[in-house]
Amino acid sequence: MTEKRRILTGDRPTGKLHLGHFVGSLQYRLAFQEEYECFFIIADLHMLTTKPSKEDIAQIGENAREIVLDHLAIGIDPTKTSFYLQSAVHEIYEMHLILSGMVTVERLQQLPTIKDMAAAAELEQMPYNLLGYPVLQAADILMPRAHLVPVGKDNESHIEISRQIARRFNNAYSEVFPLPDAYIVGGTLVGTDGQAKMSKSLGNAILLSDDSASVRKRVMSMYTDPNRIRADIPGTVEGNPVFNYHDTFNPNKEEVEDLKSRYRQGAVGDVEVKTKLYNALENFLEPIRERRAYYAEQTGYTDQLIYEGTQRAQAEARQTLMEMKKAMGLTGVWNRIRRSNERRQKRLAKA
Ligand code: ATP
Ligand code: MG
């Protein structure tokens, strides 16, 4: 039997996941799990780039559990995915240091993603670890020797850096790593307030774990066509978040087309459009909530998954790091010194 190809995915444990995450990444993870062995990183070391405070760190455990629950809730199969805590896999730190010699500062400084992250976190100066984010990401990807990395378009340049680092390592020492491919996923879900992106920190998100009352409240106060102050005024469907959500989450295409056409004519009220959206979202979220409740009821289950997944990752990481050091000749240096010292100690003991 040939081994399955591997995928590396994951999230920073900064909070619960929302519909935007589903659109932008979770739905692909679901599709990929059938064909690939999935390594799922809970990237808490990456969190330290922009959220390094003690208070932020204190949230990691709870957020990690919630993220795992979110994944189980949408149907991720824990027998096909290893969830692991990045900071508990010490070999990743070592790999990061070795790999950091295979990329230039200039190359990292040119990345718009890193500047954007610094700006979003309102950092006035560039921390060393934020500049090195793509190098740590390369360590994450190369640790399980992943073949495929599903990422948004904006992250493509980081995977290119991982490939470059892998290629340089293989050329300089020996063929340890497969070159990872980026698989571009995406689509961005707008916020309920009409802002370009649903984001938990913007307060415009519907969480996968929200209850019916919260979903109703969010939907009923959603941003729509601002020019349409009465139901009999013709409205614009294009770029209207309510219809954007209908397109994404309402499988009843006939209903959506009917609503759109009446909206354009000024023949439907916002309340009807939103109520139907609410119903569609409830149909989408109900099975997710049920699975979430089922897993949440089993006390300690998510911790067990993270524990076992991390052990699995640690074993994998030890193997990869050992092969790296062997290829470089680093293990040899230490082993010779260790053996030489053992011989000396024996001689001294005899004398
Ligand atoms: P924060 O407000 O803390 O930035 P967030 O809700 O924007 O949090 P992130 O942790 O920044 O979530 O998102 C992680 C990844 O999830 C993104 O890189 C992207 O792939 C995906 N994602 C997040 N929000 C959306 C969205 N609205 N539409 C599509 N994909 C999204
Ligand atoms: Mg964000």
Side-chain angles (χ1 to χ4, degrees):
M1 201 185 89
T2 54
E3 276 186 22
K4 274 190 171 178
R5 281 159 55 84
R6 289 180 172 178
I7 276 193
L8 186 280
T9 63
D11 291 304
R12 303 202 299 166
T14 53
K16 293 180 170 186
L17 303 181
H18 50 64
L19 293 179
H21 292 117
F22 187 86
V23 170
S25 58
L26 300 181
Q27 58 172 327
Y28 302 95
R29 291 176 188 173
L30 262 183
F32 276 130
Q33 72 172 345
E34 300 309 327
E35 205 186 324
Y36 289 84
E37 179 182 7
C38 300
F39 281 82
F40 183 98
I41 184 168
I42 300 163
D44 56 346
L45 295 177
H46 282 286
M47 216 183 93
L48 301 181
T49 54
T50 56
K51 297 189 169 193
S53 77
K54 254 187 136 160
E55 291 72 29
D56 294 325
I57 292 169
Q59 302 294 318
I60 290 174
E62 192 49 31
N63 287 342
R65 275 175 217 120
E66 294 294 343
I67 285 177
V68 171
L69 268 183
D70 281 329
H71 279 79
L72 299 175
I74 63 155
I76 292 291
D77 178 346
T79 66
K80 293 177 176 153
T81 291
S82 303
F83 297 97
Y84 64 97
L85 187 66
Q86 184 189 25
S87 66
V89 184
H90 302 150
E91 289 79 3
I92 294 175
Y93 304 64
E94 290 189 54
M95 285 183 65
H96 171 251
L97 186 123
I98 293 171
L99 300 177
S100 69
M102 294 171 192
V103 63
T104 65
V105 172
E106 285 70 26
R107 177 94 159 81
L108 297 170
Q109 278 170 336
Q110 281 159 9
L111 293 169
T113 42
I114 300 298
K115 289 179 210 157
D116 290 350
M117 279 181 79
E122 295 176 1
L123 302 175
E124 279 165 25
Q125 303 206 29
M126 178 64 70
Y128 184 51
N129 66 349
L130 184 52
L131 184 67
Y133 199 104
V135 185
L136 184 57
Q137 210 179 336
D140 298 332
I141 293 166
L142 300 181
M143 185 282 279
R145 284 175 273 196
H147 303 91
L148 199 64
V149 192
V151 286
K153 185 82 192 145
D154 56 344
N155 218 259
E156 194 177 12
S157 56
H158 292 193
I159 310 308
E160 190 41 56
I161 288 182
S162 293
R163 273 179 85 82
Q164 184 186 347
I165 287 177
R167 205 183 292 118
R168 290 215 172 134
F169 186 95
N170 289 347
N171 288 343
Y173 305 111
S174 71
E175 202 78 18
V176 172
F177 300 113
L179 300 187
D181 284 315
Y183 183 96
I184 304 305
V185 299
T188 303
L189 188 68
V190 297
T192 54
D193 58 357
Q195 290 201 67
K197 213 177 149 211
M198 178 177 282
S199 190
K200 56 186 173 291
S201 53
L202 295 174
N204 61 9
I206 295 175
L207 301 179
L208 295 171
S209 49
D210 274 346
D211 61 18
S212 303
S214 318
V215 174
R216 177 180 277 280
K217 212 169 137 205
R218 275 261 183 250
V219 170
M220 290 327 227
S221 60
M222 258 181 92
Y223 180 89
T224 57
D225 181 346
N227 298 320
R228 201 166 168 272
I229 45 178
R230 280 195 328 263
D232 60 353
I233 298 175
T236 306
V237 163
E238 286 68 33
N240 187 329
V242 181
F243 285 102
N244 182 299
Y245 282 35
H246 264 297
D247 283 334
T248 311
F249 295 103
N250 190 343
N252 185 346
K253 297 301 158 210
E254 222 170 283
E255 178 175 275
V256 176
E257 285 317 308
D258 168 62
L259 289 173
K260 283 183 180 173
S261 111
R262 287 195 286 134
Y263 197 83
R264 289 194 181 100
Q265 294 161 31
V268 64
D270 269 14
V271 173
E272 184 182 341
V273 178
K274 287 179 170 177
T275 304
K276 289 189 165 143
L277 173 60
Y278 166 73
N279 292 335
L281 286 177
E282 281 293 289
N283 286 336
F284 175 77
L285 289 171
E286 199 43 48
I288 294 180
R289 285 191 197 117
E290 273 171 27
R291 269 192 300 265
R292 191 173 229 285
Y294 168 79
Y295 286 114
E297 232 169 57
Q298 305 175 42
T299 310
Y301 182 60
T302 48
D303 281 355
Q304 182 189 334
L305 285 182
I306 297 171
Y307 181 78
E308 290 171 357
T310 302
Q311 285 204 314
R312 162 108 179 71
Q314 285 166 342
E316 197 64 42
R318 274 195 296 273
Q319 183 68 27
T320 301
L321 183 65
M322 199 188 66
E323 284 184 36
M324 282 175 76
K325 287 184 172 174
K326 253 195 197 155
M328 298 169 78
L330 271 180
T331 39
V333 177
W334 177 243
N335 283 339
R336 273 190 296 279
I337 290 175
R338 192 166 47 78
R339 280 197 299 266
S340 153
N341 181 59
E342 276 167 15
R343 284 192 299 272
R344 177 175 158 75
Q345 295 305 328
K346 268 186 206 150
R347 280 198 305 274
L348 291 178
K350 266 191 216 153

